[in-house]
């Protein structure tokens, strides 16, 4: 079952490093989404570099491909933005008014989910391979929520269940109740509102593309994948299942359950 459960990286726009849009933009290309979906999540997710589920007709694969995993491009974009190995120690630095500064990104993840921890560690390892200093900080759920809501992070590995219309208002607008990133940009509301208020399918597709591109270019969030859910039963025991992501027992009255499968006849 495709779902609207999106895993993503959240960026703190008030932090010393991730406050720069050009730095955040480069991080789009540091996420090996296919590896995370196939090797860590065992195929139970669909990769996505824009905040629309790939199973939805609104998902623009051509647009999404512009932000595909590419560490060399990531490093080039950092270099273009002035993030380079100034002291020749093998790690990149960035410029501040007082001189160059070492990079040590604080990347938090909830320790309760081992898959998310592994995914965060994979992203961190890829960033370190191109010279970006980063520390994965594993927190309990209570510590994790506290750190996000109080802005005590540079990046966090997050997950959110979006509504069926992919309304990002709560997440990505200045007054959104889930705006944990320090967003203070009215353009997000305008793009999201234009998408949600589109009157025709054609207008909706165009508005969705504009919205997704603005979000990807700003990179306050970097989408990773949308989860898939599944119902497992013994073979030939249950038929007629019509489970949805919201109700595994949907239309239960039409299920057929055969409890005699595999019984021996003496």
């Amino acid at each position: 079952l495709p779902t609207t459960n999106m895993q993503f990286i959240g960026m703190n726009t008030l932090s010393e490093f991730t406050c720069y849009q050009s730095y955040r933009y480069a991080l789009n290309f540091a996420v090996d989404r296919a590896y995370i979906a196939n090797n860590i999540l065992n195929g139970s997710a669909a990769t996505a570099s824009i905040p629309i589920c790939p199973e939805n007709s609104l998902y623009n694969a051509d647009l999404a491909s512009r932000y595909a995993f590419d560490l060399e491009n990531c490093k080039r974009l950092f270099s273009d933005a002035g993030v380079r190995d100034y002291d020749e120690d093998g790690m990149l630095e960035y410029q501040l008014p007082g001189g160059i500064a070492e990079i040590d990104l604080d990347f938090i993840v909830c320790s309760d989910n081992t898959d998310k921890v592994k995914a965060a560690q994979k992203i961190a390892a890829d960033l370190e391979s191109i010279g970006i200093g980063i520390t994965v900080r594993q927190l309990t759920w209570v510590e994790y929520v506290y750190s996000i809501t109080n802005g005590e992070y540079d990046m966090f590995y997050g997950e959110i269940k979006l509504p069926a219309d992919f309304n990002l208002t709560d997440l990505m607008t200045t007054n959104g109740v889930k705006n944990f990133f320090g967003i203070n940009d009215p353009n997000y509301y305008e793009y999201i509102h234009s998408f949600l208020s589109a009157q025709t399918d054609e207008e909706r597709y165009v508005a969705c593309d504009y919205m997704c591109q603005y979000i990807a270019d700003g990179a306050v969030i970097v989408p990773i994948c949308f989860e898939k859910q599944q119902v497992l039963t013994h073979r030939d025991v249950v038929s007629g299942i019509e489970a949805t992501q919201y109700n595994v027992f949907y239309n239960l009255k039409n299920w057929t359950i055969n409890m005699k499968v595999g019984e021996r006849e003496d």
Side-chain angles (χ1 to χ4, degrees), residues 52-185:
I52 301 291
C53 177
E55 301 286 344
N56 193 284
S57 61
L58 290 167
Y59 187 82
N60 186 331
D62 290 336
L63 175 61
S65 68
R66 299 179 193 174
Y67 308 96
F69 175 62
D70 186 340
L71 281 178
E72 286 302 313
N73 189 33
C74 179
K75 188 172 183 178
R76 179 186 63 79
L77 288 166
F78 273 128
S79 179
D80 291 346
V83 180
R84 301 168 189 163
D85 186 6
Y86 291 99
D87 57 7
E88 299 182 352
D89 66 346
M91 300 299 288
L92 305 183
E93 294 85 31
Y94 65 109
Q95 294 178 323
L96 290 175
I100 64 169
E102 301 291 335
I103 302 170
D104 186 12
L105 295 176
D106 179 25
F107 189 12
I108 66 173
V109 61
C110 182
S111 60
D112 295 353
N113 189 301
T114 56
D115 286 343
K116 290 186 174 67
V117 171
K118 291 177 182 177
Q121 290 171 335
K122 164 63 174 169
I123 294 166
D126 286 335
L127 283 169
E128 287 181 334
S129 74
I130 62 170
I132 299 294
I134 184 169
T135 300
V136 175
R137 190 157 55 102
Q138 300 181 40
L139 304 176
T140 65
W141 174 250
V142 173
E143 294 169 334
Y144 174 78
V145 171
Y146 178 87
S147 293
I148 290 175
T149 54
N150 288 278
E152 296 181 1
Y153 71 94
D154 295 315
M155 302 161 52
F156 72 85
Y157 196 104
E159 177 183 345
I160 186 171
K161 176 178 281 189
L162 296 175
D165 60 357
F166 299 98
N167 184 347
L168 296 161
T169 303
D170 285 348
L171 187 68
M172 301 211 64
T173 57
T174 302
N175 296 318
V177 295
K178 297 175 182 176
N179 172 17
F180 305 123
F181 322 100
I183 291 174
N184 187 22
D185 178 355

